Every structure is written in C-alpha cells, then in structure tokens.
Amino acid sequence: MIRRIVVLLAAMLVVMGGAVQAAVAQPNLNEQDRKFLVQAHRGNLAEIRSSRLALRRSDSQDVKDIAQKLITDHTALDDKLRPVAEQADVQLPDRPNRMQREQIEKLSNLSGPAFDSAWLAAQAADHRMTLKRLDRELTNGSSSAVRKLAQDALPVIREHLRLVREARASEGPSEGASESPSESPS
C-alpha cells in the first residue's frame, strides 16, 4: 500500500513537473505580445540597417556617433528579444517590413547634409512610433517576459529620441525635413 502511494506520488510529481516546465517554457502571450515581438524585432533590424547606412553616407561625426549608438543599443535589445520570442514559439521575420525597406532605399540615394536631415527626421518618427508601441505593450500585453522587454527598452528609446532631436536642432532649419515623415507601421 505504501509502495503504491509512493509510486503514485512520484508519477504525480513527474506529471506536475512537466506541466510546470511547459508553463515556464510558454509565457502567457496574448495577440498584443506576439505582435509586439514581431514589430520590435523588425524595428531593431531596420534601425541597425539604417544606422549602418548612416555610418557610410553621412559626413557628420554627430550623426555617425548617434548611428553607432543605435547599432549597439538595438543589437542589444534584439539579443534580449530573440530568446523570449523563441521560448514563446513566435516566429520572427528575417528582415524589416516593406515600408521600412523602402525608407532605407530612399535614404541610400542621399549623402552628406541631405542624408543627415532625412535620416534624422526618419529616426525621430521611428522612435516616436516605437515609444507608442512600447506603451501599447505595457498597457495591453499579458506576458510578464514581453512586458519586461518593453519596460527595459523604454529608457533606451527615449534616449535615442533625445539624441536625434538634439542633432536635428543643432543642424538648423533645412529643406524638406519635417518632424514627422509618414510613420510607417512595422
């Protein structure tokens, strides 16, 4: 009798242990969490590509410094995002979305001050959009792991926007640079 109880308890622990592991392995994601992971990943990819372009096309050391910071920070943000998405079984795209790629393509046809102005304007718009997405995730997300990603990214994105705004202010008035070019969904 005692042996049966011990065997039954051992079996229950194995089953329960598997259930606990499954619960830990699959964070409680809602559609907002899944959408955020994909959009944030695409945004990181776009920021990295766009910033690498800035390193090649800009003549401004300030722009190049900002671009290098964006590459470093968005790479780090994505390095934290990918394992969460993998654990949650969310398939991440391998490139930015069509609108992001078109924006990068347009920027690739510019250089010097024209590039700087257009790139900074695009960065301002993109980072404002990212702040809205972070807020949406923090308000509507259900996964604590995904919400933590958003919370951790918030000060980084705010700092990027501050740097971009300062650079835009120091470049003075320029032709064609608007504070918010079409904000494309990621």
Side-chain angles (χ1 to χ4, degrees):
M1 179 69 150
I2 292 180
R3 185 174 177 176
R4 283 185 180 169
I5 293 173
V6 170
V7 170
L8 183 60
L9 284 173
M12 285 176 44
L13 285 175
V14 169
V15 170
M16 287 175 57
V20 169
Q21 264 186 331
V24 170
Q26 292 291 326
N28 181 24
L29 265 67
N30 63 12
E31 191 56 34
Q32 167 59 42
D33 297 319
R34 292 177 189 287
K35 184 176 178 181
F36 174 80
L37 288 169
V38 169
Q39 289 177 334
H41 176 67
R42 278 193 162 136
N44 287 333
L45 294 177
E47 293 299 337
I48 293 165
R49 283 187 186 184
S50 174
S51 296
R52 285 183 179 149
L53 183 63
L55 292 177
R56 293 190 311 271
R57 303 299 257 170
S58 178
D59 295 329
S60 165
Q61 190 57 50
D62 286 343
V63 168
K64 289 181 179 188
D65 290 345
I66 293 169
Q68 187 57 60
K69 178 160 184 55
L70 268 59
I71 291 168
T72 300
D73 291 350
H74 283 281
T75 299
L77 290 171
D78 211 54
D79 286 347
K80 292 177 183 176
L81 181 146
R82 278 186 270 112
V84 173
E86 184 178 323
Q87 187 176 31
D89 201 29
V90 173
Q91 184 72 31
L92 296 176
D94 60 356
R95 61 186 184 163
N97 70 28
R98 181 185 52 79
M99 294 176 87
Q100 291 165 326
R101 292 190 313 269
E102 288 172 0
Q103 181 183 56
I104 293 167
E105 181 63 31
K106 286 178 186 174
L107 288 170
S108 71
N109 294 320
L110 303 173
S111 61
F115 174 87
D116 296 343
S117 181
W119 185 78
L120 289 168
Q123 292 306 313
D126 292 347
H127 282 80
R128 282 194 313 277
M129 180 63 70
T130 298
L131 286 173
K132 289 178 186 176
R133 286 189 181 118
L134 292 170
D135 184 54
R136 199 172 313 133
E137 174 58 28
L138 291 170
T139 302
N140 301 319
S142 66
S143 166
S144 60
V146 179
R147 287 172 46 115
K148 177 149 178 39
L149 288 172
Q151 188 64 48
D152 291 349
L154 204 52
V156 175
I157 301 305
R158 284 181 180 146
E159 174 66 5
H160 291 177
L161 185 56
R162 184 189 67 77
L163 291 171
V164 166
R165 284 179 170 161
E166 285 178 4
R168 290 188 77 200
S170 71
E171 78 175 345
S174 61
E175 306 156 25
S178 68
E179 178 62 22
S180 78
S182 66
E183 293 182 358
S184 60
S186 297

